[in-house]
Amino acid sequence: QMCIRDSNYISATLVLCGNGPLREWILAQKQKIQKRIKMAEIVVMPPQSAFRFLNTMNKSSVFVLPSHTEFFGLVLLEAMSLKKPVVSTYSGGPSEIITDEVDGLLISPGNIRELAAALLKLLNDSKMRTRLGLNAFQTVQNKYDVSKVAPQFIKFMETLH
């Protein structure tokens, strides 16, 4: 069930990007969903180029990747490199990238209440958004910058010979 029942109206815009299996259903049910989750506006973006997607992401206050399973989560690193606070799930890759409450928030896959609580927490606390976003950027710089990853990749490739 998609709702934030016990909260006040949220003065925010939910921007959905991608071309997943729920896209058509969301488009058909957009007004109902908007009313039920008490969101000011829901925008469903058409599939777009990587540049336009990053531009859209850069304008956001929070980035959410609520996958039930996620092998790695490159899109999380992209959001984190833009100093965006991120919310994702304990679903493999994201829980390897994000340290909960340090450089993002982690929730249980499929737990709507945890997702709603995490979003409300971030939307209502600008200092937390800033702190998580800056820490996220540092995580990307310290662990995932090409200067860090390339030597590890070369070393791994050499072990295959």
Side-chain angles (χ1 to χ4, degrees):
Q1 213 176 17
M2 294 179 63
C3 61
I4 302 173
R5 288 191 176 135
D6 301 324
S7 68
N8 294 324
Y9 183 79
I10 300 169
S11 180
T13 300
L14 174 65
V15 178
L16 301 171
C17 297
N19 205 17
L22 293 176
R23 180 180 174 75
E24 293 305 317
W25 180 83
I26 290 170
L27 284 169
Q29 302 292 319
K30 190 172 128 179
Q31 287 182 324
K32 257 192 223 177
I33 295 168
Q34 190 170 327
K35 191 182 267 186
R36 288 193 66 189
I37 65 171
K38 301 177 183 178
M39 188 68 63
E41 184 179 7
I42 296 177
V43 176
V44 182
M45 300 291 289
Q48 49 192 306
S49 69
F51 176 77
R52 287 195 64 210
F53 177 70
L54 288 174
N55 190 38
T56 300
M57 188 188 304
N58 197 35
K59 293 177 184 175
S60 69
S61 299
V62 176
F63 180 80
V64 181
L65 182 67
S67 303
H68 288 222
T69 56
E70 190 70 43
F71 175 69
F72 181 67
L74 180 60
V75 71
L76 284 174
L77 294 179
E78 292 168 338
M80 294 167 76
S81 74
L82 295 171
K83 300 179 182 173
K84 299 301 169 188
V86 296
V87 177
S88 195
T89 58
Y90 292 102
S91 61
S95 58
E96 295 292 323
I97 295 169
I98 299 168
T99 302
D100 190 36
E101 299 276 343
V102 174
D103 53 13
L105 299 178
L106 289 167
I107 60 169
S108 303
N111 191 320
I112 304 293
R113 287 197 169 118
E114 285 182 29
L115 177 58
L119 286 172
L120 287 172
K121 189 179 205 177
L122 288 173
L123 291 173
N124 290 320
D125 189 342
S126 64
K127 287 181 182 176
M128 179 181 228
R129 284 195 311 270
T130 299
R131 179 178 56 82
L132 292 179
L134 291 173
N135 288 345
F137 179 77
Q138 286 303 311
T139 295
V140 171
Q141 294 298 302
N142 294 338
K143 293 183 180 178
Y144 300 100
D145 184 78
V146 71
S147 66
K148 307 278 193 234
V149 176
Q152 294 174 355
F153 181 72
I154 291 168
K155 192 174 187 178
F156 170 74
M157 293 304 286
E158 288 171 346
T159 66
L160 299 177
H161 286 94

